[in-house]
Amino acid sequence: MMPLRLVRPPDLEAAGRVLAEHGRRAVVRAGGIDLLDRWKEGIDRPDVVVDLRALLAGPDGPGLASLTADEGHLAAGSLVTLEALAEAELPPAFAAVRQAASSAANPAIRRMATLGGNLLQRPRCWYFRHGDLVCLKKGGARCLAAEGRNRYNAVLGGGPSYIVHPSTLATALALYDGDVMHAGAEDPAGRIPLADLFVTPDRRLDAEHALRPAQILTAVRLSAPPGLRSGYDAVRERRLYDWPYVEAAAALRVEGGVLRDVRIVLGQVAPVPWRARAAERRLEGAKATEAAFAEASRLAFEGARPLSDNAGKIAVGRGLVRRLLHRLAEIPLPA
Amino acid sequence: MKKPPATIDGLPAWGPSFRPTVVGRPTDRIDGPAKVAGRAVYTTHVRPPGLLYGAIVRAKVAAGIVEGIDLSPATKMAGVRAAIPLAEPGSRIRFAGQDLAAVAATTPEIARAAAAAVEVRIAPAPFVVDLDAALADGAPRVHEANVAERRTEGDDPTEAAAKGTVVGNVRPLPAFVTGDVERALDRADVVFDATYETPVVTHCALEPHALTVAWDGDDAMTVWASTQSIFSVRDEMAEVFGLAPAKVTVICEHLGGGFGAKFGASAPGSRMGYAAGALAREAKAPVRLVLDRREEQEVTGHRPSSRQRVRLGATRDGSLVAIDVLAHGSAGIGTGAGVGRNAAHIYTRCPNRRVRAHDVFTHAGPGTAMRAPGHPQGAFALELALDELAAHLGKDPLDLRIAHDPHPVRRKEYEIGRERFSWDARRAAAKAAREEGARIRTGAGVAASIWGDFGRARVARVTVTVARDGSVAVRNGVQDIGGGIATVLAQVVAEVLHRDVADVTVAYGRSTLGRSVGSGGSQTTSSVAPAARVAAEKAKQALFEAVAEAVGVPAAAVAFDGPSIRAGNRVLSFAEACAFLDDDGIEVTGSRGPTASDLPFPFPGGGRAQIGGVQFAAVEVDTWTGEVRCTRITAVHDCGRVMNPKTTESQVAGGIMMGLGYALTEIRHMDPTTGRVLNADLERYKLPGFGELPEIDVHFVPVDTPANATGSVGIGEPATIPTAAAVACAVFDALGVAVRRLPITPDAVLAALSREEEAP
Amino acid sequence: MSDAPRLSRRGLFRTVGGTAVLSGCTREGGGLRRPAHPEVAGPDPTEVQLVLDGRRVRARVPIVRTLATCLTEDLGATAPKVACDRGACGACMVRVDGRALPSCSLLAVDVDGRCVDTAAHPEPPPLLAALRKAFVEHDAAQCGYCTSGMIVAAWDLLEHANARADLTEDEVRRKMAGNLCRCGTHRAVVRAVLAVARGEVTAS
C-alpha cells in the first residue's frame, strides 16, 4: 500500500549512511510529532524514516540525551525532551530556556518532543499545513498567506514567504551565543554558529534552517556572560496550551545601575527568531526605567510591515516586551 | 400569577408541597462508572464482525460543476471492497468538502488512500465565502432558486418558517415587529447606533460524526450512530433505503457530544447515512464511517455568523423607547442565520421593537442549529448595545435591564445575582481602575437569556417493568448526550416506586426501547421525565392492585410506608409485595400529555412556559497586552424543578465554558481565495480550555411549573445564551470602550483601546 | 558543572529511551521479549507485542498505523478516543511505560515491547481507582468522550507530582491543559483531581 520503511540505526554513523543513501526520500524522526502530522496531512510522504530514538539504546545515546549546565554554559543533546528542559534546574542565565520549554505545546507533547525536532519542525502556517493547497513553500507560485488570511503570519522579515518560525524554544535559544553540532556522512562532527541555524525564506524555501538533508542535529551549546538573567513570556489566545500569538525572550544583566548584554528576541512574528536590535541598542548601557522600557518596546518592532490581518501582533508584542523587561529588571509594573 | 392546576396528566402535580426523596437530590450519573473506566462503548468503537472502514471523497474547490468521477483507481487497490459515487457529471459543487464519492476498505489507512486515489474532474466556478463579498453586486450566486429550509429538533419549534424570496444571495427571515420603531427613534432623546459581529463557530463535539451500518438481509439493518436523535436516524435510513422503520434498529449507547450538529443519519453537509448504507450493501459487510476533524469543521454544521446593526432609542431619564436590530449572517449554503429573541422578547417594557434578520448565502458548508440557535449571537449584540447605551445615559446597566424586563423570574434572578456576584462593588472597582488609567483593569457585566419549555407531548414512550422478584426496570429509546437523562429516568421511577436509584435498571440508547425525542432544544428532560412518571405511577397502581387482591383489602388501603408497602394492617417489603405478581410481572408504558394552556409566564406565541436566566461575568484585562481573563461567572437560572442538581449544574457549567469559547477564543477562519477552512483542526480552532475556566457559581431559582407531571424543564441551551454577552459587557466595563466583534482576542482589545485614544 | 550529573540523567530515558525502565507499568511485562530493534521495519506489516492493561497482546500492523488505531481497531481497546488525530486534544491519551502520551501521535511499532496502560485497566492501581471514583462523585464526565484521556493525564500528573497533597489548582490546570473537553467539565475535573491529590477520595 504505502511503502514506508522505518530504519532504526544503531549509531549516528549508520543513521548518516542511510540518510546519505536515500537523499531527499529519507527524513529523520526524533519525537516524531510534527513528522506524523505532516504525513497525515499528506504534505510529507518520505520513503524512509530514520528513527533517531533508536540511537538512545546505542553508544551515541548518552550524548544525545545529555543535558548539562552551569552559570555560563548549557549543553543539550538533540534528543533531550522539552519536558526534561522544562523540569531542569537551570541557572538564571538560562531561565528563558526552561520557561519557553515549559510553555510549549502541552505536557504530553513536551514529553515526546525533542530539542532537535522542535528546532527543525516545519512551519505551522495554515496554508502550508493544508494538504490540498500548494503554497510557495510547497512549490507553488505564491505565498497564499500574503494575499489571503494572515492573522498568524510574519510582520517582520517576511517575503517571499510570510511564515513565522514555529519554535518557541528557538525564541529563547536565540538569546545566546552558541553552536549547533551536527553529524552525518559528509561531516560527522560538524558545527555551525547558532545564529546561522535559521534562515529566512529569501535564502531558502524548502527548509527553515541551514542544515542539509543528510545532516543530523546532535546538540546545542550555549554560553552566557556572568550575571545574565533571562526570561520568556508569550501572549496566547487560549491561555494554557496554544501556539503563541506573539512571544518574546529577553536577557540582560545589571552592572553599576545600567543594563548590559541586552538581548531581546521576538517569536511568532518573523520567519526566524527575530532579534530586536534597535530595542537592544536603546537599552544597552541605559538605566532600567519605565520610560526606557516603554521606548525599547516601541523600537522592538521597528521596520515591521504588517499584512492585512496581523498588525495586532505589533501592539500586543510591544506590551509583551515591555512587561517582560519590567519583570526581568525587577522594575515594578504599574498596577 | 395564576394558580397552577392540581393534577397534570391525571396525576397529582409535583407542586410546592411535594417533598421528593430521590428527585431533586444530587445523584451520580448512572453511566459514570462505565465512562470513567473507559468501558463505555461509543459508535466510533463498535466493531461488528467483518467491519470495513469507509471514507468520503470530498470537493477541494468551493464552486464548480462535476465533469467526471473515476472510481477505478480506488477499486483497483488491494483491500478496497466498495466504491460508490455521491455526485454525478453535472452536479453542482457549492462548497469545499461537498460529497463526491465514498469507498470502503479493510483498513482505515487503505480507505483513506483509496479516497485520495479517486479521480475527480470539476470545472471550477467563481465562489464567495465572506459576507461582504456575498452581499456585493454581481457576486457569484450560491443558490439559483429558493432554498428549502433544513430544520431539526435542535431548532426552536416556535420559530416561523422562512418564506422570503432569495434576492442575490440574501433571503429575509421572518421579521418581528411591534409598535413603530422608526417613529420612536425619530422622537427619542438619545439614539444609540452600532454594529456588532459574531464569527462562525463550530459544534466540535469530541466524538466526530460516526455511523456503522450492518445489513440484516435485504430488508433490515442495524445502525450504530453517534446521534442526538435515534429516531431521526431510523426514519431517515428507512426512507433512504425504502425500509419499514421497524426494520431499522438504531443504537447509540453512549454519545460523545452533539450540541446541535447530530440530527438525522446524515451530517448537515454530508449524506453519511446513504453512503454508509450503500457501501455496506455493495460490500456485503458492515461499514463504519467516521469523519475526521477537517470534515467536522468543514461539512458538519456550524453556528452561523452575524453582523447586527443595533439601534436603541431612549428618553433622557433612561426609558427605552425603541429596539431595532437589522441582521445579516451566513450559514454557508444553509439557512438559519437568525439572532434569537433577546431583542424581541426580553425587554418588552420597551414598546417599539423590531428584528429583521437575513440569511446571506456563501459557498461554505451548511450551518445548523447550535446550542440555542440564534440566541448567543443576538444576546451578544443587544446586551452589549444596552450597556453602551447605559454608559451614555449614566445608568447602571443592571438597573436598566430590570426596568424593562417584566419577567418575574428573571427580575428575581437579577436581584439574586446582584448579591451573589457583588455587582455594585465590582462595578465601583472597575470604574476606579478605569478612571485612574490602570494597566490591569477589571470589569463586570450581566446579560439575560430567554428560552422555552419545548418538551413534547405523546412522543416519548417510557416503559416501566416490575418483576415478581422485585426488580424494577425502565426503558426508553432516548440517547444520553451527556445531560444525564438516563439518570433522571432512574430517579423518577425510584421516586414513584420508593426505591433507590441503584435499584432501578435503565435501558436506553436503542430504537427498540420505545419512541423518544431528540436531544435538542432543551426538550429531552421535560419530554422523557414526565413520561417516566406516568409509567411509574401506572406500575405503582398495578402493584397496589395486586397486593390489595392478595391481602384482601381495597386498593385504596394500599400505600407506601417508606420503602415498605402497607396493605391494611400488614406491612410488606417491596419484594414481598412483588411476589404477589404473576409470572409476567408488570409492564406499563407512559407518555406525557400536552402542556397546560394557562401558564404563568408563557413563551412568546403561547402554549409553552418561558424560562429565564441571567449570567454575571467578571473579567480582568491587561491593557498592555490585551489579554482578557474571565475570573468569575455567576449564573442564575430557572429550569422548573431541578431533577438532578449534580448533572444540571454540570450542564450549566458546560454552557458557560462554551460561552467563554465564543467570547474569547473561537472562530472558524475561511480563506477567501481558496474557499477552504484554514483552521479545520483543534490547534488553530481554539476550544476553551483549563486556562479559561473561571470561578463558576451556579444558582437555580426553583419555579413551580405546571407544564408537565414532573415540573422539569430543560437547561441545555439557556446555559450558554448569555455568557459571551456578559463577558463582552464586562470587557466594556473594564475598558470604557466596547469590543464589538467576537472573539475578544488580545489584538482586538488593543485595537479598541487605540481607537478610543485616537477619538477626539 | 555542579548540576551536571543530576541533569544528564534526567527525564529522558524514562520517556523516550528504547531501553526504558518499565517504571510506571501497572503490571510487569514479565517474560515479554525485548524488541530486537530490527534495523528496518516495513514496508510490509510488522508484528508488535505489548502488554496492554496488564495483558500480553500482539498485532500485525502497517508501519504507518498509529498506536491509537492499533489499540482500538486491532486490540479492541475502548478507552482511547481519536478526536483530533494530531495530539492536540488528549482524548487518545494512554500511558506508555508509565507516562501519559497521545496515542494518535505514536506509531504502533513504537510500543513494541512496551507496557501500555489505558483508563480501562481491569485491575486499576490505587490512583486510577481513586480517580475513577472522584470523577463520578464530582460529575467530571458528561458525554464522556474526553474522560479516558483526562483520567490518564490526571493519573500521570498525580503519580509524578513532587508533593501530591500540596498540588495547587493552578498546577492541575497547567498539567491538564493538553486535554480538551467540549461539554465543559473543566471545573469538575479540577475538583476531582484535587480531591484525589488531597486524599479526600481514595481507592478503597
Side-chain angles (χ1 to χ4, degrees), chain B residues 535-557:
Chain B
E537 297 276 4
K538 284 185 188 171
K540 180 173 100 176
Q541 195 55 39
L543 178 63
F544 284 6
E545 282 166 14
V547 169
E549 192 183 322
V551 176
V553 296

mmCIF file of all heavy atoms in Angstrom, chain B residues 535-557:
data_model
loop_
_atom_site.group_PDB
_atom_site.id
_atom_site.type_symbol
_atom_site.label_atom_id
_atom_site.label_comp_id
_atom_site.label_asym_id
_atom_site.label_seq_id
_atom_site.Cartn_x
_atom_site.Cartn_y
_atom_site.Cartn_z
ATOM 1 N N ALA B 535 -45.595 6.362 33.551
ATOM 2 C CA ALA B 535 -45.432 4.901 33.511
ATOM 3 C C ALA B 535 -45.222 4.339 34.915
ATOM 4 O O ALA B 535 -45.822 3.322 35.284
ATOM 5 C CB ALA B 535 -44.245 4.541 32.611
ATOM 6 N N ALA B 536 -44.399 5.005 35.691
ATOM 7 C CA ALA B 536 -44.108 4.502 37.044
ATOM 8 C C ALA B 536 -45.349 4.543 37.924
ATOM 9 O O ALA B 536 -45.587 3.633 38.728
ATOM 10 C CB ALA B 536 -42.977 5.321 37.666
ATOM 11 N N GLU B 537 -46.153 5.582 37.754
ATOM 12 C CA GLU B 537 -47.392 5.671 38.544
ATOM 13 C C GLU B 537 -48.351 4.551 38.155
ATOM 14 O O GLU B 537 -49.035 3.981 39.010
ATOM 15 C CB GLU B 537 -48.063 7.039 38.342
ATOM 16 C CG GLU B 537 -47.220 8.229 38.818
ATOM 17 C CD GLU B 537 -47.350 8.529 40.314
ATOM 18 O OE1 GLU B 537 -48.038 7.774 41.025
ATOM 19 O OE2 GLU B 537 -46.729 9.514 40.771
ATOM 20 N N LYS B 538 -48.380 4.220 36.872
ATOM 21 C CA LYS B 538 -49.216 3.092 36.439
ATOM 22 C C LYS B 538 -48.712 1.791 37.059
ATOM 23 O O LYS B 538 -49.492 0.940 37.484
ATOM 24 C CB LYS B 538 -49.175 2.949 34.912
ATOM 25 C CG LYS B 538 -50.009 3.964 34.142
ATOM 26 C CD LYS B 538 -49.931 3.585 32.644
ATOM 27 C CE LYS B 538 -50.569 4.635 31.761
ATOM 28 N NZ LYS B 538 -50.291 4.367 30.324
ATOM 29 N N ALA B 539 -47.390 1.663 37.087
ATOM 30 C CA ALA B 539 -46.810 0.442 37.671
ATOM 31 C C ALA B 539 -47.150 0.356 39.151
ATOM 32 O O ALA B 539 -47.497 -0.705 39.674
ATOM 33 C CB ALA B 539 -45.295 0.442 37.464
ATOM 34 N N LYS B 540 -47.070 1.491 39.816
ATOM 35 C CA LYS B 540 -47.398 1.528 41.246
ATOM 36 C C LYS B 540 -48.852 1.100 41.461
ATOM 37 O O LYS B 540 -49.146 0.269 42.328
ATOM 38 C CB LYS B 540 -47.183 2.955 41.775
ATOM 39 C CG LYS B 540 -47.499 3.121 43.251
ATOM 40 C CD LYS B 540 -47.113 4.503 43.769
ATOM 41 C CE LYS B 540 -48.357 5.369 43.837
ATOM 42 N NZ LYS B 540 -48.040 6.699 44.427
ATOM 43 N N GLN B 541 -49.714 1.645 40.624
ATOM 44 C CA GLN B 541 -51.137 1.317 40.731
ATOM 45 C C GLN B 541 -51.364 -0.192 40.541
ATOM 46 O O GLN B 541 -52.083 -0.832 41.289
ATOM 47 C CB GLN B 541 -51.914 2.126 39.679
ATOM 48 C CG GLN B 541 -53.415 2.166 39.913
ATOM 49 C CD GLN B 541 -53.755 2.680 41.317
ATOM 50 O OE1 GLN B 541 -53.100 3.608 41.831
ATOM 51 N NE2 GLN B 541 -54.738 2.057 41.977
ATOM 52 N N ALA B 542 -50.692 -0.736 39.513
ATOM 53 C CA ALA B 542 -50.860 -2.169 39.218
ATOM 54 C C ALA B 542 -50.345 -3.020 40.376
ATOM 55 O O ALA B 542 -50.954 -4.026 40.751
ATOM 56 C CB ALA B 542 -50.112 -2.523 37.927
ATOM 57 N N LEU B 543 -49.227 -2.569 40.945
ATOM 58 C CA LEU B 543 -48.664 -3.307 42.074
ATOM 59 C C LEU B 543 -49.624 -3.269 43.274
ATOM 60 O O LEU B 543 -49.885 -4.278 43.922
ATOM 61 C CB LEU B 543 -47.300 -2.721 42.452
ATOM 62 C CG LEU B 543 -46.598 -3.344 43.655
ATOM 63 C CD1 LEU B 543 -46.281 -4.821 43.389
ATOM 64 C CD2 LEU B 543 -45.308 -2.594 43.998
ATOM 65 N N PHE B 544 -50.144 -2.069 43.532
ATOM 66 C CA PHE B 544 -51.062 -1.913 44.673
ATOM 67 C C PHE B 544 -52.302 -2.768 44.475
ATOM 68 O O PHE B 544 -52.837 -3.351 45.411
ATOM 69 C CB PHE B 544 -51.449 -0.447 44.855
ATOM 70 C CG PHE B 544 -50.360 0.403 45.476
ATOM 71 C CD1 PHE B 544 -49.088 -0.127 45.719
ATOM 72 C CD2 PHE B 544 -50.603 1.722 45.832
ATOM 73 C CE1 PHE B 544 -48.094 0.660 46.291
ATOM 74 C CE2 PHE B 544 -49.606 2.505 46.409
ATOM 75 C CZ PHE B 544 -48.362 1.984 46.627
ATOM 76 N N GLU B 545 -52.772 -2.862 43.237
ATOM 77 C CA GLU B 545 -53.958 -3.671 42.971
ATOM 78 C C GLU B 545 -53.669 -5.148 43.230
ATOM 79 O O GLU B 545 -54.489 -5.866 43.816
ATOM 80 C CB GLU B 545 -54.451 -3.442 41.539
ATOM 81 C CG GLU B 545 -55.229 -2.125 41.406
ATOM 82 C CD GLU B 545 -55.432 -1.699 39.958
ATOM 83 O OE1 GLU B 545 -55.215 -2.523 39.055
ATOM 84 O OE2 GLU B 545 -55.803 -0.525 39.746
ATOM 85 N N ALA B 546 -52.486 -5.585 42.816
ATOM 86 C CA ALA B 546 -52.124 -6.987 43.039
ATOM 87 C C ALA B 546 -52.012 -7.288 44.538
ATOM 88 O O ALA B 546 -52.469 -8.331 45.014
ATOM 89 C CB ALA B 546 -50.802 -7.308 42.325
ATOM 90 N N VAL B 547 -51.434 -6.340 45.252
ATOM 91 C CA VAL B 547 -51.285 -6.501 46.696
ATOM 92 C C VAL B 547 -52.660 -6.514 47.364
ATOM 93 O O VAL B 547 -52.954 -7.368 48.213
ATOM 94 C CB VAL B 547 -50.393 -5.374 47.290
ATOM 95 C CG1 VAL B 547 -50.458 -5.384 48.815
ATOM 96 C CG2 VAL B 547 -48.960 -5.524 46.811
ATOM 97 N N ALA B 548 -53.501 -5.602 46.938
ATOM 98 C CA ALA B 548 -54.841 -5.495 47.534
ATOM 99 C C ALA B 548 -55.602 -6.803 47.364
ATOM 100 O O ALA B 548 -56.219 -7.316 48.297
ATOM 101 C CB ALA B 548 -55.601 -4.341 46.878
ATOM 102 N N GLU B 549 -55.509 -7.343 46.163
ATOM 103 C CA GLU B 549 -56.227 -8.573 45.897
ATOM 104 C C GLU B 549 -55.675 -9.723 46.736
ATOM 105 O O GLU B 549 -56.424 -10.490 47.335
ATOM 106 C CB GLU B 549 -56.105 -8.895 44.407
ATOM 107 C CG GLU B 549 -57.065 -10.000 43.970
ATOM 108 C CD GLU B 549 -56.879 -10.347 42.506
ATOM 109 O OE1 GLU B 549 -56.638 -9.409 41.704
ATOM 110 O OE2 GLU B 549 -56.935 -11.541 42.171
ATOM 111 N N ALA B 550 -54.362 -9.806 46.812
ATOM 112 C CA ALA B 550 -53.735 -10.911 47.534
ATOM 113 C C ALA B 550 -53.989 -10.821 49.034
ATOM 114 O O ALA B 550 -54.219 -11.825 49.708
ATOM 115 C CB ALA B 550 -52.239 -10.941 47.254
ATOM 116 N N VAL B 551 -53.952 -9.607 49.558
ATOM 117 C CA VAL B 551 -54.098 -9.427 51.002
ATOM 118 C C VAL B 551 -55.573 -9.360 51.397
ATOM 119 O O VAL B 551 -55.934 -9.619 52.542
ATOM 120 C CB VAL B 551 -53.332 -8.168 51.457
ATOM 121 C CG1 VAL B 551 -53.524 -7.884 52.947
ATOM 122 C CG2 VAL B 551 -51.851 -8.311 51.151
ATOM 123 N N GLY B 552 -56.387 -9.006 50.407
ATOM 124 C CA GLY B 552 -57.805 -8.920 50.685
ATOM 125 C C GLY B 552 -58.228 -7.605 51.290
ATOM 126 O O GLY B 552 -59.000 -7.570 52.242
ATOM 127 N N VAL B 553 -57.653 -6.541 50.800
ATOM 128 C CA VAL B 553 -58.069 -5.197 51.238
ATOM 129 C C VAL B 553 -58.413 -4.406 49.985
ATOM 130 O O VAL B 553 -57.987 -4.760 48.876
ATOM 131 C CB VAL B 553 -56.951 -4.474 52.025
ATOM 132 C CG1 VAL B 553 -56.641 -5.204 53.319
ATOM 133 C CG2 VAL B 553 -55.705 -4.294 51.178
ATOM 134 N N PRO B 554 -59.167 -3.338 50.114
ATOM 135 C CA PRO B 554 -59.411 -2.498 48.937
ATOM 136 C C PRO B 554 -58.100 -1.861 48.468
ATOM 137 O O PRO B 554 -57.209 -1.602 49.289
ATOM 138 C CB PRO B 554 -60.389 -1.433 49.419
ATOM 139 C CG PRO B 554 -60.641 -1.687 50.868
ATOM 140 C CD PRO B 554 -59.809 -2.836 51.322
ATOM 141 N N ALA B 555 -57.971 -1.598 47.173
ATOM 142 C CA ALA B 555 -56.742 -0.999 46.629
ATOM 143 C C ALA B 555 -56.423 0.308 47.335
ATOM 144 O O ALA B 555 -55.254 0.656 47.532
ATOM 145 C CB ALA B 555 -56.879 -0.782 45.122
ATOM 146 N N ALA B 556 -57.455 1.029 47.734
ATOM 147 C CA ALA B 556 -57.223 2.324 48.380
ATOM 148 C C ALA B 556 -56.550 2.163 49.745
ATOM 149 O O ALA B 556 -56.012 3.118 50.291
ATOM 150 C CB ALA B 556 -58.554 3.063 48.538
ATOM 151 N N ALA B 557 -56.568 0.951 50.266
ATOM 152 C CA ALA B 557 -55.946 0.715 51.579
ATOM 153 C C ALA B 557 -54.474 0.351 51.442
ATOM 154 O O ALA B 557 -53.821 0.034 52.435
ATOM 155 C CB ALA B 557 -56.694 -0.384 52.320
#
